[in-house]
């Protein structure tokens, strides 16, 4: 059972570089989301989608873009990486109340 | 504002003892609550959930209690094992909204 799959697991970027974190789910969930997790701050919502073609901003969307061309995929793009974006990123999906998370992507911006 | 919080940031228990992790919530509209376990270097893993029309729900070695009167949620782990060492956090949601609110977490340390 794959569930929610994120890639890459680890990434180091230089300030100003762009990159895309990939996320795929095989549970046919309508809702997908991206969170960042920083020490002592819990999970903060970056962007979310309630279905293909629909995206919306969360609590901390600045510096990130998303798209939802298919039900399965929800990539997160960092447009111009900044040290403040050093964090652990989690993709998640849900079809009802229970939300399921990927294993995380550790991103360091130097 | 609306928030989900945990009373104890770190909980140390002896192996074999029972653990109790607490959570307070403030959104009266929340009607579904989830406990997650997050091991170091991994994503949050679903443990158990409970709906607001229930006071108690049991799983394998875990029990969740919900007290709506004081807006309090707890996770009880029976016979705590070394593999239970992790960060535990609660989440709340009002059904149909997809607006999850997560706590910051409590670290459970199991002492041998």
């Amino acid at each position: 059972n794959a569930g929610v799959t994120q890639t890459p697991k680890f990434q180091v970027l230089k300030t100003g570089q762009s990159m895309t974190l990939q996320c795929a789910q095989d549970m046919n969930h309508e809702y997908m989301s991206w969170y960042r997790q920083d020490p002592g701050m819990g999970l903060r919502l970056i962007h979310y989608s309630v279905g293909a073609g629909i995206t919306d901003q969360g609590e901390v969307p600045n510096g990130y873009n998303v798209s939802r061309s298919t039900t399965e995929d929800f990539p997160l793009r960092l447009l111009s990486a900044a040290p403040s974006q050093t964090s652990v990123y989690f993709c998640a999906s849900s079809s009802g109340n229970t939300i399921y998370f990927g294993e995380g992507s550790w991103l360091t911006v130097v | 504002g609306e928030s989900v919080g945990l009373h104890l940031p770190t909980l140390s228990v002896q192996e074999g003892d029972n653990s109790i992790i607490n959570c307070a919530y403030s959104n009266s509209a929340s009607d579904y609550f989830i406990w997650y376990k997050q091991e170091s270097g991994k994503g949050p893993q679903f443990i158990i959930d409970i709906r607001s029309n229930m006071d108690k729900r049991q799983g394998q070695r875990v029990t969740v209690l919900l007290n709506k009167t004081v807006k309090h949620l707890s996770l009880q782990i029976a016979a705590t094992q070394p593999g239970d060492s992790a960060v535990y956090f609660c989440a709340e949601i009002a059904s149909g909204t997809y607006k999850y609110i997560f706590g910051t977490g409590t670290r459970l340390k199991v002492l041998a």
Side-chain angles (χ1 to χ4, degrees), chain A residues 1-6 22-32 68 70-74 91-95 100-102:
Chain A
N1 294 331
V4 180
T5 304
Q6 291 180 233
Q22 301 292 343
C23 177
Q25 52 93 7
D26 61 359
M27 298 174 282
N28 202 32
H29 287 169
E30 289 298 319
Y31 177 84
M32 295 186 74
R68 186 88 181 274
T70 66
T71 299
E72 294 77 20
D73 300 300
F74 191 47
C91 181
S93 74
S94 171
S95 65
Y100 298 93
F101 292 90

Side-chain angles (χ1 to χ4, degrees), chain B residues 31-50:
Chain B
D31 59 357
Y32 183 74
F33 305 87
I34 313 167
W35 278 102
Y36 288 92
K37 173 185 181 182
Q38 187 173 18
E39 296 176 278
S40 180
K42 295 187 178 181
Q45 180 183 5
F46 172 89
I47 301 174
I48 192 168
D49 58 1
I50 189 168

Side-chain angles (χ1 to χ4, degrees), chain A residues 47-103:
Chain A
H47 285 284
Y48 67 96
S49 168
V50 297
I54 305 169
T55 63
D56 209 343
Q57 296 182 349
E59 180 185 356
V60 287
N62 292 340
Y64 308 94
N65 274 355
V66 292
S67 60
R68 186 88 181 274
S69 57
T70 66
T71 299
E72 294 77 20
D73 300 300
F74 191 47
L76 178 72
R77 298 184 185 85
L78 279 71
L79 308 173
S80 178
S84 61
Q85 293 179 303
T86 293
S87 187
V88 183
Y89 292 84
F90 290 100
C91 181
S93 74
S94 171
S95 65
N97 287 330
T98 303
I99 187 168
Y100 298 93
F101 292 90
E103 287 298 291

